[in-house]
Amino acid sequence: MEFNLQGRKVVVTGCGDGIGRALALAFAREGARIAGCARTETRLDSLNKEIEGKHHFFLPCDLTRKEDIEKFHKQVLQSFGGLDILVNNAGSILKLDSFFTLTDDDWQDSFNLNLLSAVRLSRLFIPALKHSSSPRIINISSISATRPDIQYPHYSAMKAGMSNFTVSLAQTLAQDKILVNSVSPGPVWTRSWEQEADQIARQSGKPRKEIIQEIQSATGGRVPLHRMGVPEDLTGLVLFLSSDLARWITAANFTVDGGWLRDPY
């Protein structure tokens, strides 16, 4: 399948590792120009060495800080002169706890990173997207948005907000032909799972490698395809939604979970 994304100008947030990194590499292989951000400069340096093509742009950025977002926006437009695709990928559970151990600050931190950052970035980049011939906003949500568990309710609530925000924004921007969709991954092995494994290893005294194997085996065993996902499992769908093949798709959410939810609706 030809996505024809050559020369498209793409922002991918949270591209230091996990899904964001996989998306940046995938877009670059399709000939797009990538502007990315992450908190850790060393991860961006590593990505910059691996990514195909030239004229990409990476900036260390804390997306919980309004001033960092504004700086990133300004430098992207200075470097690219415009934008075609905004992928709001940045997000994290931040704290692996249940309701009674989460503080007000924990909820506020989760809001700032997992939802407000996407709101701020969208608001800033929409004027540039209006000048694109194929403008897209793609929000990376989570199946936790519709299937919250006992653990990390703050994260699940923010992802529910992200999915809701997607549908609202899609209607707002329909007159400008800016397509807005969300993608909800299931159990994809990313840094949040690494952090969970680290926490369990500290509490149990078991070797970290053993804990990782146990998590992957137990979680993957509940997936009809019998494995946890990897970041690359998301790239094909996001590239499709970014392409002109998806020109009549907006206000939609797409689940990528190996059959975890098994929801026919």
Side-chain angles (χ1 to χ4, degrees), residues 95-110:
K95 192 171 183 180
L96 293 162
D97 276 325
S98 57
F99 179 78
F100 289 110
T101 53
L102 292 169
T103 66
D104 285 359
D105 287 342
D106 294 329
W107 282 85
Q108 186 66 54
D109 291 344
S110 186

Side-chain angles (χ1 to χ4, degrees), residues 184-206:
S184 292
V188 174
W189 189 263
T190 58
R191 189 153 51 100
S192 292
W193 289 91
E194 295 273 358
Q195 291 170 340
E196 182 173 350
D198 290 341
Q199 180 173 312
I200 294 173
R202 287 193 300 270
Q203 294 173 347
S204 68
K206 291 184 179 181

Side-chain angles (χ1 to χ4, degrees), residues 188-236:
V188 174
W189 189 263
T190 58
R191 189 153 51 100
S192 292
W193 289 91
E194 295 273 358
Q195 291 170 340
E196 182 173 350
D198 290 341
Q199 180 173 312
I200 294 173
R202 287 193 300 270
Q203 294 173 347
S204 68
K206 291 184 179 181
R208 180 176 182 272
K209 185 177 181 180
E210 181 179 337
I211 296 298
I212 289 175
Q213 291 174 341
E214 289 178 358
I215 292 175
Q216 292 180 339
S217 176
T219 304
R222 296 172 59 192
V223 177
L225 293 182
H226 301 296
R227 68 170 177 87
M228 291 187 67
V230 295
E232 289 73 18
D233 290 324
L234 278 292
T235 58

Side-chain angles (χ1 to χ4, degrees), residues 70-85:
E70 291 173 345
K71 178 181 178 181
F72 178 63
H73 164 259
K74 180 179 180 180
Q75 295 198 19
V76 168
L77 293 189
Q78 286 178 346
S79 297
F80 281 4
L83 189 68
D84 299 300
I85 301 162

